[in-house]
Amino acid sequence: MSPAAETEAPWARRPKRADGRRNYDAILEAARVAFANRGTGASLEDIAKAAGVAIGTLYGHFPTRETLVEASVREQLDQLDQAATTLTEEDGDALGALTAWVRLAVEHCSTYRGLASFLAGSAHTAGAPLHHTGVIVHKAVAPLLAKAKEAGRIRADVTAEELYAVITAAAWTRENSPEQVDHSVRLLAFVTEGMAPQAG
Amino acid sequence: MSPAAETEAPWARRPKRADGRRNYDAILEAARVAFANRGTGASLEDIAKAAGVAIGTLYGHFPTRETLVEASVREQLDQLDQAATTLTEEDGDALGALTAWVRLAVEHCSTYRGLASFLAGSAHTAGAPLHHTGVIVHKAVAPLLAKAKEAGRIRADVTAEELYAVITAAAWTRENSPEQVDHSVRLLAFVTEGMAPQAG
DNA sequence: ACCTGAACACCGTTCAAGT
DNA sequence: ACCTGAACACCGTTCAAGT
């Protein structure tokens, strides 16, 4: 498998022609603003208008809403992947490293209202644009989880899939929390305690 | 405050005229089927068609989608409320009673795909039709929570609001789980362990 | 290779007219 | 008091024509 095959997805590729790249970038930027303000269900016509392109141009680059959502969080996901590597290499508190990364993952998955639902919806559909996120999360969390288990801080039977369910559930809770209090913090605290070996 | 004011909501009242009641019931039944098959975002026109009424009739009885969703789960909510009373009166395992009721509540809140999001959305909006659900859950869970605390099975600082966040998050997880495995079961198990006094 | 925007489809919501 | 359905608005999606 070539490096390009790993990094380049079949959907939403950045065009080669200069005008195409300009439009692609403008659409992405407008989408990020719209998703941040209105959630992932924001009007695609409004996004095209804000980007200064016709609606057909948007569809040319992003054939489905999901491809646009995926592209709008792709860079952030790369950072999340790298953070897992950094945290795994650090010596010290294995449980702290795991929980720190889980919190980063929850923040990523709650970037926009509606993102958690998109992620959950494509979690079990191989080939879906946002299925990639689940794959990355699984791969990234595996070594962190293994180290925490070796250190005796997490039950041996906790799986990466269960952690992903926890992360998306916490992200959804965060999306839906009132501005004053983020209920996902306490939810994660309870879950973390519950995953400790001494419990139960 | 009269008893009627407590039980009768200002939205979605069952009409007094016979033809009105027939249509009201037919719409509700069609809505339950449509919500079960397509989630709470199901087409209202299709529901009206299935009920054999004009779209205006549907809007006459249920001015917003939320009122229709609320009415479609109201009876079930009453049962959930009664179950809390029964479980509170039982002698025996206080933690078991609490967790049994929480599981019933999770099932209620995941009756239809999309219901958990409706509930979370109206949780902090007094006056919203589905805000009622949150109020009932809070009232119902309070004595169960108090007994579990007295028995030393749950941390003293756990609030009913936190439990409601846990319930809706678990319901959302259940809605989004693949058919083979319900991830909310493990999520609830972890949270329950994490709420125990000996943890942390 | 990429862009445009008209055209079509579908659905939510309102309201004047009716019984 | 309740019902009807046409009318309007808004949005997603496609595609023939253009550069």
Side-chain angles (χ1 to χ4, degrees), chain A residues 15 17 23 54 56-57 61:
Chain A
R17 236 171 66 176
N23 286 336
T57 305
H61 291 300

Side-chain angles (χ1 to χ4, degrees), chain B residues 46-88:
Chain B
D46 285 355
I47 291 171
K49 215 166 287 176
V53 302
I55 184 64
T57 305
L58 187 150
Y59 275 91
H61 291 298
F62 306 98
T64 65
R65 182 181 293 273
E66 192 184 352
T67 57
L68 183 54
V69 172
E70 190 277 333
S72 72
V73 295
R74 198 185 298 164
E75 286 174 30
Q76 227 188 53
L77 183 64
D78 287 342
Q79 288 174 21
L80 188 65
D81 196 16
Q82 286 160 24
T85 308
T86 310
L87 283 164
T88 304

Side-chain angles (χ1 to χ4, degrees), chain B residues 14-27:
Chain B
R14 201 150 172 273
K16 302 217 165 103
R17 236 170 65 175
D19 58 342
R21 265 206 309 277
R22 260 199 314 275
N23 286 338
Y24 179 96
D25 292 340
I27 292 165

Side-chain angles (χ1 to χ4, degrees), chain B residues 76-168:
Chain B
Q76 227 188 53
L77 183 64
D78 287 342
Q79 288 174 21
L80 188 65
D81 196 16
Q82 286 160 24
T85 308
T86 310
L87 283 164
T88 304
E89 286 167 356
E90 272 179 17
D91 282 335
D93 183 10
L95 182 62
L98 176 63
T99 56
W101 188 83
V102 165
R103 182 122 285 287
L104 287 178
V106 169
E107 276 166 30
H108 171 79
C109 296
S110 59
T111 304
Y112 308 122
R113 254 180 312 125
L115 178 57
S117 285
F118 262 104
L119 291 171
S122 58
H124 304 280
T125 311
L130 280 167
H131 184 69
H132 197 55
T133 304
V135 173
I136 295 284
V137 168
H138 274 70
K139 270 179 54 184
V141 85
L144 285 164
L145 187 58
K147 278 188 87 172
K149 285 180 185 176
E150 282 165 28
R153 305 294 299 275
I154 288 280
R155 289 188 202 187
D157 64 348
V158 175
T159 67
E161 194 173 350
E162 286 165 0
L163 259 184
Y164 190 51
V166 165
I167 287 166
T168 53

